[in-house]
Amino acid sequence: MTSADPTRGTYFITEDDLRALTGELLGAGTEVIAPVALDVCASPSAIASSACLRPGVKPIDIEYRALESAAQLNLGSGLPVLSLKQYFLPEYEALCCWRQHGTEIEIEAVPTEFAPRVVLAAKPCDSAALAVVDKVMNWDYADELWNGRREATTIVNLACPVVDESCFCTAVGTAPDDAKGADALLTPVEGGFLMEATTDKGRALVEAHAARFTAEEGAGGAGARGRQAAEERAAARARAAANLEIDAASVRDWIDTHFEDPLLAALGVRCNGCGACSSVCPTCHCFDIVDEEEGIGKGTRRRCWDTCQAPTFTLHASGHNPRDSQNPRYRQRINHKFAIYPLKFGEVLCTGCGRCTRVCHAGQDLVEILQAIDIAARRREAVSP
Amino acid sequence: MSDTVTTEVPVYAGVAELRRIARELLDAGDVRVIIGWEHARRGARPVFITDAADADRLIFDARCVHNLVTYLNPRRDNVAELGKIGLVVKGCDAKAVAGLLREAQLTRDDVVLIGVRCGGVLEEAELPRAAPLGPENVAPRCFGCDNREPELVDHLLGESQPEPPRPLTTIDERVAALDAQPLEKRWAFWTEQFGRCVRCYACRQVCPLCVCERCVAEKSRPQWIEASPHPRGNLSWNITRALHLAGRCVDCGECERFCPVGIPLSLVNRKLQQIVAERYDYAVSDDPEHAAPIGDYRLDDKQEFIK
Ligand code: SF4
Ligand code: SF4
Ligand code: SF4
Ligand code: SF4
Ligand code: SF4
């Protein structure tokens, strides 16, 4: 076995070597974030879970976590409950601290530089979401905290076999084997993984651990493993496409010109405005800024996740609320993701992960909604070409 | 698992009646919308029927876990503007209607209630078909339910149903298991649970009895509850939510079901129910005349904690 030549694109790595690489990163003090299978029944939560008493399958939660050991790295296909967003835009974070001295106010800034870290086995829909959100985070203002974390992080995706019938990444311009927003892509093959480094950061990771990789024979994936990877990736793409196919450009234009259409205007009737969909969504990025006092004359200004599904999101100080019921609020979710953002930034603000649909116990189903809009858009095109 | 999927589930006898009544109410103009359940791509979900021709979309089976009373919240303008509501309710849901009546959020004439005799529901609604209830899949709150044939209704459908099975562990057993732990262990349990809260407020939004115009969690001057989801803010949010529902919560389990991070809110709710029962001899019912302790002052209320 020869070590990898990092100038070439595709490498092979065994699972053992991938874990050893993870161990090397951890050993060097690098933070490694990856999916971890949390055994609900071994945690204090067990007391609350009847599933833990059920014979057979035990409930496992997949979550992205900072690894404590290489053994924790979960290379399965499960979708983490919360997306990778939390490591770039945490649920809450300090923007500054203040302390009052009489009439003077002392402001303590927060660091905007971050130690290098690595994400392993990221879901392609999660890394793609980071690339999409990069646009707004660098629009009229460059968000230092977001950009700082983005720069410090090397992301290695793991090609996804498609989780269930609510996945639709291929309908919104990404794919289960995309490396968008990431620096490398792992594809499971016989005996290990093929690793393609797609950015300098990805190549640097391979270079730093060159002994763990072998250069893959047959450039461009012509070898047996390359063919196996290509087949499985194509099959996964076909599975995602079977869930939903839309013409995102005509959906965008239809929404943009049909603000008052009953299809859009009455979408929120079963929606509770609970915002769970925004919490789990990798592309929802709205935040609120709050001042939290910690004793007298001092406190912290923090930002925390917010959602356009909450009435207070658009409540003016005057008491007026331009989005005064759940119908316009839910329309906003669709409009922002599939028309406003694509018109402004050229990208759909959705990577088709399906989390919003799965989490919604009121039965709002994005697959169904996009299908209906797509049909309406096609119908219009058929009438007025 | 395999036998629960393949076993035939008897069709709920009340469904034909439900569809007929829905059609009649809409045709006669007695209501403008029937809110019930339908079968959709991912399983059972709420449906809003405004055209009598669509009444056949209505279903009722063990997947119909949602408490649709949340749609009666007078602050749901987009539902209210549909016109008078005909609402399909299980017994626990009817208790929530009584709660709204008790608290003057609603008058009885605002809504036509179509009650269904209930034999318990599943833990999950998102299933391709209803499975027969067993200890491993029944919603734990259904065990021992005292209101499976609601009285506060205009129509009561179906036949009497068998009692829901006993779940693998009951909520009371779980509360007791927690209570048996030393204080530090309980503290560790709840700090871990609440630590996961992302403060989406799904638990509040879906609760049929969380009806405040402006939630205390949203007040910023003064700020009663810190808004960021750090452990301290989360603790004060979750305890406040639970306390504000003490003696009002109908145990429908919707808050827990909607929580995207799986916090076992029903354990806090049940603990408070137990305390309310013990101190005030009160259990929430579907009789709106039966005042809840929070809205009722009695000279013999225990007050030994006031020193
Ligand atoms: S769509 Fe569903 S998850 Fe999102 S706010 Fe509405 S009820 Fe909540
Ligand atoms: S809108 Fe839904 S499907 Fe799209 S990225 Fe967000 S959670 Fe995923
Ligand atoms: S709590 Fe009672 S009325 Fe409600 S679903 Fe369970 S058995 Fe039916
Ligand atoms: S607190 Fe939870 S269980 Fe109680 S009424 Fe509200 S949603 Fe239902
Ligand atoms: S639903 Fe769960 S995560 Fe959301 S605010 Fe309530 S307890 Fe927190």
Side-chain angles (χ1 to χ4, degrees):
Chain A
M1 279 231 255
T2 51
S3 294
D5 166 6
T7 57
R8 288 183 51 178
T10 308
Y11 312 92
F12 173 74
I13 184 166
T14 64
E15 182 172 331
D16 285 349
D17 272 321
L18 186 57
R19 288 191 194 277
L21 179 157
T22 309
E24 281 166 18
L25 286 167
L26 291 171
T30 307
E31 185 181 23
V32 181
I33 296 152
V36 165
L38 302 174
D39 180 354
V40 179
C41 302
S43 77
S45 306
I47 202 165
S49 173
S50 52
C52 295
L53 298 167
R54 220 171 273 170
V57 194
K58 290 290 177 203
I60 296 288
D61 267 355
I62 307 284
E63 292 280 11
Y64 289 113
R65 286 282 187 272
L67 297 185
E68 281 155 20
S69 75
Q72 279 185 314
L73 170 65
N74 182 280
L75 294 162
S77 57
L79 185 71
V81 177
L82 292 183
S83 80
L84 200 50
K85 161 174 92 175
Q86 55 181 314
Y87 289 96
F88 297 85
L89 181 68
E91 286 110 309
Y92 71 94
E93 68 180 327
L95 299 178
C96 67
C97 301
W98 83 81
R99 189 180 278 275
Q100 243 173 299
H101 305 284
T103 53
E104 300 283 293
I105 294 176
E106 178 196 337
I107 301 284
E108 189 190 317
V110 294
T112 52
E113 279 182 29
F114 298 88
R117 56 182 191 172
V118 175
V119 180
L120 291 179
K123 281 282 174 191
C125 47
D126 282 340
S127 73
L130 300 173
V132 172
V133 176
D134 279 344
K135 302 259 167 92
V136 68
M137 290 295 188
N138 290 282
W139 169 36
D140 54 349
Y141 172 80
D143 193 292
E144 291 171 323
L145 292 163
W146 175 274
N147 289 340
R149 292 193 176 95
R150 284 287 277 145
E151 275 152 29
T153 314
T154 303
I155 303 177
V156 180
N157 280 358
L158 175 61
C160 169
V162 174
V163 177
D164 65 16
E165 77 294 345
S166 293
C167 291
F168 60 91
C169 45
T170 50
V172 285
T174 163
D177 57 341
D178 210 337
K180 182 174 175 177
D183 303 289
L185 172 72
L186 290 166
T187 308
V189 289
E190 194 67 40
F193 300 87
L194 285 191
M195 165 109 161
E196 286 159 65
T198 52
T199 68
D200 287 344
K201 278 197 272 184
R203 282 183 283 273
L205 182 72
V206 173
E207 200 165 347
H209 303 269
R212 302 276 168 211
F213 294 92
T214 50
E216 182 61 10
E217 279 150 39
R225 283 197 292 243
R227 283 196 302 276
Q228 187 201 353
E231 271 169 32
E232 289 188 2
R233 286 164 53 168
R237 268 181 257 138
R239 278 195 289 277
N243 287 343
L244 179 70
E245 267 186 288
I246 56 166
D247 177 2
S250 50
V251 163
R252 174 196 66 204
D253 295 340
W254 189 88
I255 295 173
D256 188 44
T257 50
H258 290 75
F259 193 69
E260 298 288 352
D261 191 281
L263 176 55
L264 288 181
L267 271 180
V269 72
R270 68 166 62 81
C271 168
N272 294 308
C274 73
C277 48
S278 306
S279 303
V280 297
C281 175
T283 54
C284 276
H285 53 266
C286 288
F287 53 79
D288 188 18
I289 295 181
V290 294
D291 285 347
E292 295 180 327
E293 277 185 79
E294 285 143 3
I296 307 288
K298 61 186 167 92
T300 303
R301 172 164 294 182
R302 295 188 172 93
R303 68 170 164 192
C304 40
W305 292 354
D306 201 355
T307 170
C308 58
Q309 300 310 295
T312 44
F313 189 79
T314 46
L315 182 64
H316 294 183
S318 67
H320 172 64
N321 195 341
R323 286 185 216 132
D324 58 357
S325 91
Q326 205 52 39
N327 283 348
R329 293 195 277 271
Y330 195 81
R331 173 177 59 195
Q332 165 64 18
R333 187 164 205 275
I334 300 296
N335 194 3
H336 186 210
K337 289 187 175 291
F338 299 98
I340 298 170
Y341 203 91
L343 287 168
K344 190 158 201 79
F345 298 116
E347 302 222 47
V348 179
L349 186 63
C350 166
T351 58
C353 71
R355 283 189 181 89
C356 55
T357 300
R358 293 184 201 98
V359 83
C360 181
H361 298 294
Q364 284 293 72
D365 181 344
L366 191 52
V367 170
E368 182 191 82
I369 291 166
L370 287 174
Q371 231 150 22
I373 296 174
D374 188 57
I375 290 169
R378 283 177 208 262
R379 204 177 287 138
R380 183 178 71 133
E381 275 172 12
V383 185
S384 54
Chain B
M1 188 69 201
S2 55
D3 52 72
T4 52
V5 172
T6 49
T7 315
E8 266 311 301
V9 186
V11 178
Y12 182 73
V15 172
E17 225 178 325
L18 169 63
R19 293 173 179 169
R20 176 179 58 76
I21 286 172
R23 221 176 285 121
E24 285 170 8
L25 287 170
L26 286 166
D27 277 337
D30 290 346
V31 302
R32 296 276 168 214
V33 57
I34 299 281
I35 307 180
W37 296 271
E38 69 172 349
H39 173 81
R41 191 180 72 100
R42 302 192 65 251
R45 70 171 177 190
V47 67
F48 295 71
I49 305 281
T50 50
D51 183 343
D54 291 333
D56 284 349
R57 283 166 65 184
L58 291 165
I59 61 160
F60 183 72
D61 60 39
R63 296 171 301 165
C64 299
V65 303
H66 321 67
N67 187 340
L68 304 174
V69 178
T70 193
Y71 297 116
L72 290 184
N73 182 333
R75 277 165 277 283
R76 295 227 186 197
D77 294 353
N78 60 334
V79 177
E81 75 191 14
L82 295 173
K84 186 163 173 178
I85 296 171
L87 192 78
V88 191
V89 289
K90 305 181 292 297
C92 46
D93 309 338
K95 290 183 186 175
V97 179
L100 294 178
L101 292 170
R102 219 175 269 137
E103 296 175 7
Q105 297 297 314
L106 201 70
T107 57
R108 187 62 188 81
D109 297 336
D110 290 341
V111 58
V112 173
L113 294 176
I114 308 168
V116 282
R117 289 194 175 85
C118 179
V121 293
L122 293 158
E123 271 185 305
E124 288 178 80
E126 288 86 18
L127 298 165
R129 68 187 70 82
L133 294 179
E136 73 295 333
N137 65 3
V138 64
R141 67 181 147 100
C142 292
F143 175 67
C145 169
D146 59 4
N147 201 40
R148 297 189 298 106
E149 303 196 353
E151 282 175 18
L152 181 73
V153 292
D154 301 291
H155 305 270
L156 184 60
L157 312 185
E159 295 149 6
S160 283
Q161 299 291 307
E163 272 196 26
R166 185 188 181 94
L168 292 171
T169 41
T170 66
I171 302 180
D172 288 329
E173 283 165 355
R174 289 182 204 164
V175 170
L178 258 179
D179 277 348
Q181 312 247 359
L183 183 64
E184 311 78 65
K185 280 257 177 93
R186 267 182 283 149
W187 177 250
F189 175 81
W190 286 115
T191 28
E192 186 200 291
Q193 298 302 325
F194 295 151
R196 297 204 309 264
C197 173
V198 294
R199 227 61 97 64
C200 61
Y201 301 119
C203 46
R204 174 188 76 191
Q205 290 309 110
V206 73
C207 177
L209 291 155
C210 266
V211 288
C212 295
E213 182 82 50
R214 190 92 194 258
C215 176
V216 66
E218 279 157 8
K219 299 253 163 84
S220 51
R221 276 180 173 262
Q223 184 183 58
W224 299 103
I225 294 173
E226 287 174 293
S228 342
H230 46 58
R232 195 178 51 215
N234 287 351
L235 188 73
S236 63
W237 158 244
N238 281 283
I239 287 181
T240 305
R241 186 207 64 80
L243 282 174
H244 285 187
L245 271 302
R248 302 172 64 235
C249 167
V250 298
D251 208 6
C252 62
E254 288 292 82
C255 45
E256 176 168 309
R257 199 169 66 91
F258 266 76
C259 176
V261 295
I263 301 175
L265 298 171
S266 59
L267 299 186
V268 205
N269 297 340
R270 179 59 63 91
K271 179 70 192 173
L272 283 162
Q273 271 170 29
Q274 293 173 351
I275 294 172
V276 167
E278 184 194 306
R279 296 194 64 89
Y280 303 100
D281 191 24
Y282 179 84
V284 70
S285 72
D286 75 345
D287 173 7
E289 303 303 319
H290 187 191
I294 201 161
D296 189 27
Y297 173 74
R298 294 197 192 160
L299 284 172
D300 60 354
D301 279 347
K302 290 185 196 160
Q303 52 185 16
E304 79 290 351
F305 56 92
I306 302 174
K307 298 246 162 73

